[in-house]
Amino acid sequence: MSETVPREDEATAESERAGDDADAVLRIEDLHKNFGGITAVDGATFGVERGSMTGLIGPNGAGKSTVFNLVTGIHDPDSGSVWFQDEEITGLRPYEVANRGLVRTFQIARELANLTVMENLMLPAKAQSGEALWRSVLPGFRRQVVEEERELRERVWETLEFFEIQHLADEKASNLSGGQRKLLELSRALMLDPTMLLLDEPFAGVNPTLEKKLLEHVQQLNDEGRTFLIVEHDMDLIMNNCEHIIVMHQGQVLTEGTPADIKANEEVIEAYLGSPWPISNDTCRSISPPWSSWNDWENCSESCWP
Amino acid sequence: MSARTDLRESARDLLAADAAKIAAVMLGIYVTYLLVGLILGYSANGMINTLQRLTFLVAIYAMVVLALNLHWGYTGLFNIGVAGFMAVGLYTMAMLAKPVEPTGGAQYPGLGLPVPIAILGGVLAAALVGFVVALPALRLRADYFAIVTIAFAEIVRLLYTASPFQEFTIFGYTMGTGGGRGILFNFQDPVVTIYRLPIFEGPVTFVNQYVEFGPADAQGVIYVGLLVVVLAGYYLLLKRTGESPFGRVLKAIREDEEATNALGKNTNAFKIKSFMLGCALMGLVGILWQFRRAGITPDAFRPHVTFYIWIALIIGGAGSNTGSILGAGIFTAGLFEGPQYLRRIIQSQISVGQPPGTFADAVGPMFALNFQPITSYLFNNMLTLQFVFMGVVLVWLMQNRPDGLLGYRTETAAAVPLGKRSDEVSETVHRADEPSETVSGTDGTSETASREDEVSDQ
Ligand SMILES: Nc1ncnc2c1ncn2[C@@H]1O[C@H](COP(=O)(O)OP(=O)(O)OP(=O)(O)O)[C@@H](O)[C@H]1O
Ligand SMILES: [Mg+2]
């Protein structure tokens, strides 16, 4: 503990230095990943401050999801390293990363279709002694497993209540709507009691009312001290809710900073406007007046962002 | 403290709806076969033999289908090498149990271990071989995994029948697989020992007052009784496996292995454990299946055995333990044994005449609206047609009942009921038809009842 105090001071002093804060809970350094001929991630480097709500934005194909995959061990990076809580986690298996408290959700919800919502949420809880086959099977020991299951069921119900989806408890996950699946994924990730959550477009396909609620929940979890790194295409949402934003483009970190910094950054505007995201430059121009500032972007967002 | 309540709980579980379903189907099967026996004019002895054979087959199939259900229904491991694991169990058991000194015509020597230890050895060997097969195959997709398992099964069968292993010496111990000639079981049969127990004396004399029932018949019945007990053990074991955090991870792997891994579960470890357990259970079935025969016929483990087991699993619906037993019952009584009995009944009732020699001779007269030749031809070839019939049933099931004859079944992957917040509430639901004093009993129930109200108010 004594060590972290000067570090924090250092961090505030150097908070300008992007991607290098000493109190970064997650740090990736010079990550590279090729898929066949495609370079998905091309030397990305950044840090995510402990307890922060950080946004990761960038055009389609910028490599955001791939970074998540590299960090969580779904893919192995070609080169570079990943650090989580001052421990190198490069190349660890996904379950090892998750058990260290770094949990992600997927861009396309990965609900366990033929399991109920309850089963989905019971699954990830840590330290379940019943995961040892013999304890679940042998008469004397099963008692304890049943006891643990009762407690876990209670925890799951609390989580369901937190997200106000108790009515779905007994539903098969495959019967859920797209937005409900997103909710399921987030609540399921929370069952691991993670230190940090990587959310890949958690609000895509979620209706505005639910989105607002979900955001409140995320804020609340953030206030509890959990760190969030959120990929999201809704600029308003990112600008209004994240204290720090990382912009990726063509597999690299283009820039990072506060929402104000990002809004003012010509390079960012350039990169987005020059990219096919969210729609082509010409289409956008045809809908709205020529782009000159970030404000125009925001004004246009309602009408031309998918 | 807990073991007894625990057992009582499981007994209650067994007697709940699922056991009732199994009992109903088996009762239906028995009644049908009794009727068949009556029509065919079987003696009491013949009747007992028929039912005994039927029960034997149902029990064997049910056990192995339960094991396969653990692989495929729970974990999504596409194992089409079941026969191979059964063979490993049986051959290992035989080689361990055969006496060191071969006597008379009883060909090859073995290690001369006591039979129970040899059985344990066979089961462990099947599990170990499962480990060896699974290890390199774990990273493979389901279809490639299937290829590995069927290749393994064939390799095993060919190795056991290969002449170099007919008799060999390893670490100074001589034993053998018998090659193409198979192995004779020239060791003491424990069933005979059990039969000689004093408790069986009374019942045997009693039964013999009414029907002629020799020692071999009695031993057969005792053996089938033992099998049913072992089957109950399989069911309980796999039910508990399924209804536990362990089983939950298996089901999650079946649904989406990568997502399960990302949720903090070491999926490879779970897959290996599931595969080894299933293989061990298959090895035991291999032993129990052939145990009462004179020896091993190497042909017994050809791939069609595996496919029979798969058909039974599909009939019952993969993913359901109850379904596995029902599937085994329906498959054995309907598809496996049924056609022969059907043929006998029809032949006993009507004369189907002399069958024509070739298929063409049978089909030709159909165009002249003479169906006698084709009918008698079909009856005569019932055993061959059985395969066609099984294929038709399989295709029909796949298209119309992909979740098995019973349709979709939920077997919750948790050690406690999940539908409601507490056990008590769900019990209240169970016992809704009972007098109300059971409902408003303890503090727990009233508390949960109010919770229920809260939920429904929203
Ligand atoms: N498993 C894969 N195999 C082959 N190519 C891949 C794979 N994953 C990603 N890519 C490629 O890597 C590039 C980056 O993809 P990625 O999914 O990381 O983009 P993204 O920033 O998440 O985009 P989006 O906003 O559309 O989700 C794309 O060109 C994509 O085609
Ligand atoms: Mg993406």
Side-chain angles (χ1 to χ4, degrees):
Chain A
M1 280 313 273
S2 55
E3 252 189 325
T4 51
V5 178
R7 269 181 164 200
E8 259 168 30
D9 290 345
E10 217 175 273
T12 36
E14 295 187 342
S15 62
E16 302 299 294
R17 257 178 64 197
D20 201 25
D21 17 10
D23 199 31
V25 64
L26 174 75
R27 216 166 62 243
I28 66 170
E29 268 161 29
D30 201 26
L31 275 189
H32 287 264
K33 182 69 182 178
N34 278 295
F35 292 109
I38 301 167
T39 305
V41 177
D42 191 15
T45 302
F46 63 77
V48 177
E49 197 187 328
R50 187 183 302 275
S52 73
M53 181 111 93
T54 302
L56 179 60
I57 62 171
N60 290 124
K64 307 180 294 292
S65 297
T66 308
V67 164
F68 275 20
N69 286 338
L70 296 177
V71 168
T72 55
I74 300 279
H75 294 145
D76 286 332
D78 297 337
S79 67
S81 58
V82 183
W83 297 77
F84 180 65
Q85 297 192 318
D86 299 322
E87 180 195 7
E88 177 158 15
I89 58 164
T90 325
L92 290 188
R93 300 291 89 222
Y95 76 92
E96 293 170 314
V97 176
N99 285 329
R100 278 168 171 72
L102 178 54
V103 180
R104 59 93 55 90
T105 64
F106 291 90
Q107 182 167 356
I108 297 161
R110 302 274 284 266
E111 77 286 349
L112 303 164
N114 280 309
L115 270 58
T116 65
V117 169
M118 282 296 281
E119 287 172 322
N120 261 279
L121 263 71
M122 299 272 284
L123 174 77
K126 284 198 237 179
Q128 301 188 45
S129 69
E131 279 176 11
L133 176 60
W134 60 277
R135 280 186 185 276
S136 281
V137 166
L138 293 183
F141 297 93
R142 188 168 169 92
R143 235 351 57 183
Q144 193 206 330
V145 172
V146 171
E147 211 43 59
E148 274 179 35
E149 289 271 276
R150 282 206 186 99
E151 281 162 28
L152 178 56
R153 180 176 58 191
E154 190 56 29
R155 244 188 83 205
V156 169
W157 270 102
E158 278 160 17
T159 311
L160 289 178
E161 275 173 357
F162 184 76
F163 287 98
E164 297 172 32
I165 48 172
Q166 310 94 306
H167 57 289
L168 297 175
D170 217 11
E171 200 68 53
K172 242 175 89 178
S174 57
N175 293 344
L176 301 189
S177 75
Q180 289 170 335
R181 285 174 205 197
K182 288 275 173 189
L183 268 179
L184 171 63
E185 270 231 303
L186 182 57
S187 47
R188 192 175 62 185
L190 279 174
M191 290 304 294
L192 273 157
D193 194 17
T195 314
M196 176 171 183
L197 277 148
L198 306 177
L199 306 182
D200 201 343
E201 302 195 20
F203 307 110
V206 174
N207 74 60
T209 331
L210 188 56
E211 179 183 293
K212 202 164 149 265
K213 249 189 222 161
L214 205 53
L215 251 173
E216 278 166 19
H217 291 319
V218 170
Q219 290 285 9
Q220 199 177 327
L221 293 164
N222 185 226
D223 293 341
E224 285 173 15
R226 297 182 212 271
T227 312
F228 281 86
L229 179 62
I230 305 177
V231 168
E232 186 51 58
H233 285 308
D234 182 338
M235 279 310 127
D236 293 338
L237 195 150
I238 289 284
M239 294 295 167
N240 294 334
N241 293 284
C242 296
E243 60 247 42
H244 191 84
I245 295 169
I246 299 161
V247 185
M248 278 191 73
H249 182 54
Q250 294 180 352
Q252 292 170 335
V253 173
L254 189 63
T255 181
E256 58 179 304
T258 62
D261 295 341
I262 302 297
K263 282 186 190 181
N265 191 316
E266 290 294 326
E267 222 186 341
V268 176
I269 300 165
E270 199 108 316
Y272 280 167
L273 290 177
S275 80
W277 178 83
I279 52 171
S280 81
N281 217 355
D282 288 342
T283 326
C284 232
R285 270 178 222 278
S286 68
I287 300 169
S288 336
W291 304 94
S292 52
S293 73
W294 185 268
N295 281 338
D296 286 334
W297 261 75
E298 282 193 320
N299 294 338
C300 179
S301 64
E302 297 295 299
S303 56
C304 53
W305 288 16
Chain B
M1 51 148 212
S2 54
R4 199 186 295 160
T5 23
D6 205 39
L7 277 179
R8 207 185 308 145
E9 229 172 61
S10 348
R12 204 187 54 204
D13 285 354
L14 264 177
L15 288 173
D18 281 357
K21 256 185 215 139
I22 294 173
V25 169
M26 286 315 294
L27 196 68
I29 291 172
Y30 280 131
V31 169
T32 314
Y33 272 75
L34 280 172
L35 287 177
V36 168
L38 282 179
I39 293 171
L40 292 177
Y42 283 180
S43 66
N45 209 316
M47 208 85 105
I48 291 172
N49 278 336
T50 305
L51 294 188
Q52 184 204 316
R53 177 180 156 79
L54 187 71
T55 316
F56 169 79
L57 286 172
V58 171
I60 291 292
Y61 271 105
M63 283 188 265
V64 74
V65 172
L66 278 169
L68 180 60
N69 185 45
L70 177 66
H71 283 171
W72 173 244
Y74 271 91
T75 327
L77 294 167
F78 198 169
N79 179 0
I80 46 175
V82 181
F85 296 103
M86 293 167 76
V88 169
L90 181 63
Y91 268 97
T92 309
M93 185 281 292
M95 284 155 74
L96 293 180
K98 277 173 76 73
V100 182
E101 298 294 332
T103 46
Q107 5 118 304
Y108 314 103
L111 295 189
L113 295 174
V115 173
I117 291 177
I119 291 177
L120 194 65
V123 173
L124 289 179
L128 275 180
V129 169
F131 178 74
V132 172
V133 171
L135 213 49
L138 272 179
R139 286 165 176 275
L140 302 179
R141 271 186 5 221
D143 38 2
Y144 291 109
F145 186 84
I147 293 169
V148 171
T149 54
I150 195 170
F152 151 78
E154 278 299 275
I155 290 169
V156 161
R157 189 172 66 84
L158 295 174
L159 282 181
Y160 279 136
T161 50
S163 49
F165 299 108
Q166 201 164 345
E167 184 167 357
F168 59 90
T169 303
I170 185 164
F171 302 129
Y173 294 103
T174 302
M175 49 187 144
T177 63
R181 296 169 59 193
I183 303 184
L184 280 181
F185 291 163
N186 56 333
F187 43 79
Q188 175 65 39
D189 181 353
V191 180
V192 176
T193 322
I194 294 173
Y195 167 72
R196 294 201 182 119
L197 290 178
I199 47 158
F200 286 108
E201 250 170 52
V204 168
T205 18
F206 177 76
V207 171
N208 266 309
Q209 288 172 356
Y210 302 96
V211 283
E212 197 192 322
F213 211 60
D217 296 319
Q219 285 162 18
V221 170
I222 290 172
Y223 185 62
V224 166
L226 277 177
L227 286 190
V228 172
V229 172
V230 178
L231 169 61
Y234 268 51
Y235 180 70
L236 202 63
L237 171 70
L238 291 167
K239 190 174 150 66
R240 286 192 159 195
T241 306
E243 293 173 358
S244 75
F246 180 83
R248 195 155 57 222
V249 178
L250 298 190
K251 276 196 171 176
I253 290 173
R254 179 193 69 193
E255 297 296 315
D256 186 337
E257 186 178 350
E258 195 173 75
T260 309
N261 205 320
L263 287 168
K265 305 299 167 197
N266 183 357
T267 49
N268 276 351
F270 282 94
K271 276 162 83 180
I272 288 197
K273 282 180 202 162
S274 162
F275 196 67
M276 285 177 71
L277 174 62
C279 289
L281 295 176
M282 287 169 182
L284 183 57
V285 176
I287 295 169
L288 296 175
W289 179 33
Q290 302 260 314
F291 192 71
R292 294 277 298 158
R293 302 195 180 173
I296 305 175
T297 33
D299 257 5
F301 295 101
R302 293 211 315 266
H304 67 255
V305 174
T306 303
F307 296 112
Y308 286 161
I309 296 162
W310 269 94
I311 294 175
L313 178 69
I314 291 165
I315 291 176
S320 159
N321 287 323
T322 313
S324 298
I325 297 184
L326 291 180
I330 294 167
F331 168 80
T332 315
L335 292 177
F336 192 76
E337 289 282 272
Q340 300 170 51
Y341 283 96
L342 188 66
R343 178 175 154 213
R344 276 181 221 162
I345 288 182
I346 292 172
Q347 278 178 340
S348 74
Q349 297 304 306
I350 51 167
S351 151
V352 286
Q354 192 59 34
T358 66
F359 187 59
D361 288 343
V363 173
M366 271 172 73
F367 297 106
L369 295 181
N370 178 4
F371 293 103
Q372 193 273 329
I374 183 80
T375 320
S376 55
Y377 182 82
L378 290 183
F379 280 132
N380 202 45
N381 292 290
M382 192 70 98
L383 286 183
T384 322
L385 284 172
Q386 203 171 348
F387 290 104
V388 179
F389 190 54
M390 283 182 191
V392 171
V393 168
L394 204 54
V395 171
W396 183 85
L397 273 174
M398 292 295 201
Q399 288 187 339
N400 297 293
R401 289 294 187 105
D403 292 318
L405 267 185
L406 294 176
Y408 179 73
R409 286 182 45 84
T410 31
E411 292 186 356
T412 305
V416 290
L418 293 183
K420 292 285 181 296
R421 194 159 184 167
S422 73
D423 302 346
E424 285 85 352
V425 172
S426 63
E427 277 185 23
T428 321
V429 174
H430 263 306
R431 299 176 186 166
D433 49 347
E434 282 181 24
S436 57
E437 58 249 52
T438 41
V439 179
S440 59
T442 60
D443 290 6
T445 15
S446 49
E447 186 195 318
T448 46
S450 62
R451 254 184 208 152
E452 252 248 279
D453 292 342
E454 269 171 41
V455 173
S456 52
D457 279 348
Q458 283 170 358

